[in-house]
Amino acid sequence: MNKQDNKPGFALGKENYKLLLIGFVIIIIGFLLMMGGGSDDPNVFDESIFSFRRITLAPLVVLFGFAFEIYAIMKKPKENK
């Protein structure tokens, strides 16, 4: 008879957690790219809030980070034999 160890383990492997951390950093970078562009004087309009970086690049970076997170969760962990 073959006995198998029924030890409770983590749902994800070590590599998955590393990928999750990388995805989290990508999302943080996207939100940092969105920062700034405000005016100190409320009576003065500042056009820099509509820059390419804040309107296009940063949201794409954040979406890529979320997609990367989904990949990190769905990636099948390697089995140890």
Side-chain angles (χ1 to χ4, degrees):
M1 291 193 172
N2 202 5
K3 284 189 175 182
Q4 292 182 349
D5 294 333
N6 289 332
K7 295 179 185 177
F10 290 107
L12 302 174
K14 188 176 181 180
E15 183 180 6
N16 295 81
Y17 288 113
K18 287 180 184 178
L19 292 174
L20 282 170
L21 184 62
I22 291 169
F24 183 69
V25 169
I26 292 171
I27 292 170
I28 295 299
I29 289 170
F31 279 109
L32 289 176
L33 288 172
M34 283 187 218
M35 285 179 28
S39 177
D40 294 332
D41 184 10
N43 296 322
V44 177
F45 181 72
D46 189 7
E47 283 286 328
S48 67
I49 61 170
F50 298 116
S51 68
F52 170 79
R53 185 187 82 184
R54 291 184 184 95
I55 296 296
T56 306
L57 181 64
L60 287 176
V61 171
V62 171
L63 286 175
F64 175 74
F66 282 121
F68 195 85
E69 290 286 327
I70 292 170
Y71 167 76
I73 292 170
M74 300 298 285
K75 186 176 185 318
K76 193 172 199 176
K78 294 179 182 175
E79 293 185 21
N80 294 334
K81 291 184 178 183

